[in-house]
């Protein structure tokens, strides 16, 4: 158990009351720190309309592990989470096909960004040692001294603050990171992708039902463009259209838009409704997506970056928030390990977390490129069958990549090395030649006998690797 008195009076400034900043404020409050949370916007709990992006998100085990730290895991799942058991692929001809996420029936959850953020704010507020400062924008900081200057956006006054530690949770365009970039020995890279995203809405049907089966993440893969839909609690769907900016520019009349949808997403037109589609498409500008990598995440014992501020990633793995919330879990563990000695905690955290954040950034970018292959859902299904098959026989060793990423807390960089190792084995297997090919072919045969035979075949063929496999079982 944590001794709440231990860090009493130690002041920390958290910048940004988004998904990660509010969670981190709660985590630090539990450890006894005096937390001051500064946020550019007002209190979203008191706003009618919250401007910003992505109305709902896919939450999985890493995000849930973060929420558990402040006792919110169950509440958010129970009150705000819609389980998604499988992806539902929509073909151009209107047919669909469901592909389960997990053989044990585990789900990911669609959660509303605003719900989660509000619950986290309320949880943070419940600690007497958390203090909110809304409508305060970070404009500069002295990272060594732990001083920060905020602009009060209501009074236009500048406020100078000082703390033992500044934590930047101020998102992908972080101002605290901008301060770090002025320093020597700070590595930074950013990359925009040619795609932008635009959010549309599928309303509830006239009898108040979901227009599509709710417990799925719906995907319309179309190569250069793709659409994805997550369910909301009010039985609407938030649809994100991903498409190169140039194509948005080309679609500049309602006629062209309907033509484009008729060709690519015919089944979505009626669900969204022609008028609504035209209105929403032309009312909004597409948003850009960026990858940001930097290193280290800290300066001395006085400043730290977390969440998107430290590692913005493209959304094609549904892991940005999950990774940011896992940051809080990792920092919490390292604080335990070093007894809250920040001179040791911050460097250890940077060193531990950087390879994992960069790994998920790469994986997400890889998915962005590979999502074109989802078009060829046959290929996707084939690799999935091979993976499922090997996972059945070697459940502790052969875990498909997306399962490691989405349903385990395996360090992201190890997900990559394990996947490379799997690919190596598959390559060797295929090299064994035609026999393996036959075995693989039989995997897809429908009869029990063929299945049993192919299982035996593969088991024999993999015998030479099973020693290697046995070695890696933990
Ligand atoms: P943010 O949520 O951006 O919060 C930053 C906060 O800092 C904001 O409140 C902002 O107002 C404040 N701020 C900014 N500048 C200042 C300043 N100068 N001073 C004071 N305050 C400031 N992740 C998932 O896990 N699953 C998904 O399904 C998923 N889908 C996504 C879909 C899209 C289209 C996009 C773009 C992202 C998606 N993500 C998803 C990623 C997720 O949105 C982010 O990773 C997550 O919001 C990061 O949280 P954060 O708290 O670090 O940053
Ligand atoms: C994109 C935008 C499906 C929310 C990758 C899958 C995503 C999400 C996938 C967005 C895809 C792509 C996976 C999850 C998830 C899939 C995953 C992508 C949530 C490999 C709100 N992706 N996303 N992979 O498997 O592992 O369903 O905006 F289209 S959740 Cl690109 Cl598991």
């Amino acid at each position: 158990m944590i001794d709440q008195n231990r860090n009493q009076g130690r002041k920390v400034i958290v910048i940004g009351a988004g998904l990660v900043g509010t969670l981190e404020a709660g985590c630090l409050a539990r450890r006894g720190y005096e937390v001051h949370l500064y946020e550019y916007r007002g209190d979203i709990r008191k706003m009618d309309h919250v401007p910003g992006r992505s109305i709902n998100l896919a939450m999985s085990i890493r995000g849930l592990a973060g929420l558990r730290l402040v006792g919110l895991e169950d509440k958010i799942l129970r009150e705000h989470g819609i389980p998604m058991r499988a992806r539902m692929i929509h073909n151009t001809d209107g047919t669909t096909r469901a592909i389960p996420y997990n053989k044990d029936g585990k789900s990911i959850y669609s959660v509303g960004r605003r719900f989660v953020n509000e619950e986290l704010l309320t949880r943070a507020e419940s600690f007497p040692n958390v203090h909110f400062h809304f409508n305060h924008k970070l404009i500069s900081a002295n990272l060594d001294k732990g001083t920060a200057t905020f602009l009060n956006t209501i009074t236009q006054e500048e406020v100078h603050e000082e703390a033992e530690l500044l934590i930047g949770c101020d998102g992908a365009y972080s101002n605290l990171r901008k301060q770090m970039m002025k320093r020597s020995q700070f590595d930074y890279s950013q990359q925009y992708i040619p795609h932008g995203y635009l959010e549309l809405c599928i309303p509830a049907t006239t009898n108040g039902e979901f227009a599509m089966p709710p417990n799925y993440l719906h995907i319309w893969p179309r190569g250069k463009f793709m659409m994805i839909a997550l369910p909301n609690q009010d039985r609407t769907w938030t649809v994100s259209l991903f498409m190169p900016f140039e194509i948005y520019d080309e679609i500049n009349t309602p006629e062209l838009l309907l033509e484009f949808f008729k060709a690519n997403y015919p089944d979505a037109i009626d669900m969204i409704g022609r008028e609504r589609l035209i209105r929403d498409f032309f009312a909004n500008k597409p948003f850009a997506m960026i990858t940001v990598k930097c290193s280290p995440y800290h300066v001395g014992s006085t400043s730290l970056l977390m969440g998107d501020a430290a590692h913005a990633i493209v959304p094609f793995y549904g892991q940005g928030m999950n990774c940011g919330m896992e940051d809080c879990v990792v920092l919490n563990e390292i604080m335990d390990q070093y007894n809250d000695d920040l001179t040791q905690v911050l460097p250890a955290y940077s060193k531990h977390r950087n390879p994992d954040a960069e790994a998920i950034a790469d994986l997400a970018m890889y998915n962005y490129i590979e999502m074109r292959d989802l078009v060829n859902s046959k290929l996707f299904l084939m690799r999935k069958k091979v993976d499922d098959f090997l996972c059945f026989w070697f459940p502790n060793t052969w875990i498909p990549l997306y399962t490691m990423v989405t349903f385990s807390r395996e360090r992201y960089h190890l997900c990559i090395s394990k996947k490379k190792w799997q690919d190596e084995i598959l390559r060797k297997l295929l090299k064994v030649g035609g026999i393996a090919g036959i075995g693989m072919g039989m995997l897809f045969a429908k009869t029990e006998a063929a299945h049993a035979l192919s299982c035996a075949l593969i088991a024999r063929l993999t015998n030479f690797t099973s020693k290697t496999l046995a070695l890696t079982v933990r």
Side-chain angles (χ1 to χ4, degrees), residues 16 19-20 39-41 53 58 113 138 170 308 318 320-322:
L19 299 174
V20 177
E39 166 59 45
Y40 179 26
R41 298 176 299 181
R53 68 241 150 75
R113 180 187 292 276
L138 178 76
D170 47 349
D308 278 14
M321 159 192 65
N322 284 291

Side-chain angles (χ1 to χ4, degrees), residues 187-190 291-295 297 310-312 357-359 361-362:
D187 287 326
Y188 176 83
S189 76
Q190 69 171 54
T291 299
V292 171
K293 291 179 180 177
C294 66
S295 171
Y297 300 138
H311 43 70
E358 298 201 351
D362 292 342

Side-chain angles (χ1 to χ4, degrees), residues 260-285:
F260 173 80
F261 263 74
K262 244 180 239 155
N264 294 291
Y265 313 111
D267 58 340
I269 302 179
D270 291 332
M271 288 192 288
I272 300 173
R274 272 156 218 269
E275 268 118 83
R276 186 190 282 268
L277 172 62
I278 294 165
R279 189 191 64 201
D280 290 355
F281 185 90
F282 292 108
N284 302 305
K285 282 244 164 300

Side-chain angles (χ1 to χ4, degrees), residues 14-22 38-42 44 53-60 63 84 108-109 111 113 117 133 135-139 149-151 168-176 197-199 217 228 230 240 242 287-290 306-325 327 412:
V14 175
I15 302 142
L19 299 174
V20 177
T22 46
Y38 285 83
E39 166 59 45
Y40 179 26
R41 298 176 299 181
I44 55 165
R53 68 241 150 75
S54 97
I55 292 141
N56 53 24
L57 309 125
M59 165 91 76
S60 47
M84 299 185 288
I108 56 176
Y109 296 85
V111 293
R113 180 187 292 276
N117 210 155
H133 307 268
N135 304 301
H136 278 72
K137 181 185 183 180
L138 178 76
I139 50 176
T149 304
F150 297 92
L151 177 72
C169 301
D170 47 349
Y173 303 96
S174 166
N175 191 304
L176 199 74
Y197 72 94
L198 194 113
E199 290 186 329
L217 189 156
I228 198 162
L230 273 69
S240 308
F242 297 89
F287 287 101
M289 286 166 281
I290 191 171
M306 296 176 80
D308 278 14
H311 43 70
I313 66 179
V314 293
F316 301 99
Y317 231 123
Q319 284 292 314
M321 159 192 65
N322 284 291
C323 176
M325 290 183 168
D327 285 354
Y412 289 123

Side-chain angles (χ1 to χ4, degrees), residues 396-412:
N396 296 318
T397 333
W398 198 282
I399 301 166
L401 178 63
Y402 81 88
T403 305
M404 288 190 273
V405 169
T406 307
F407 293 103
S408 87
R409 288 211 38 227
E410 183 76 83
R411 292 186 61 180
Y412 289 123

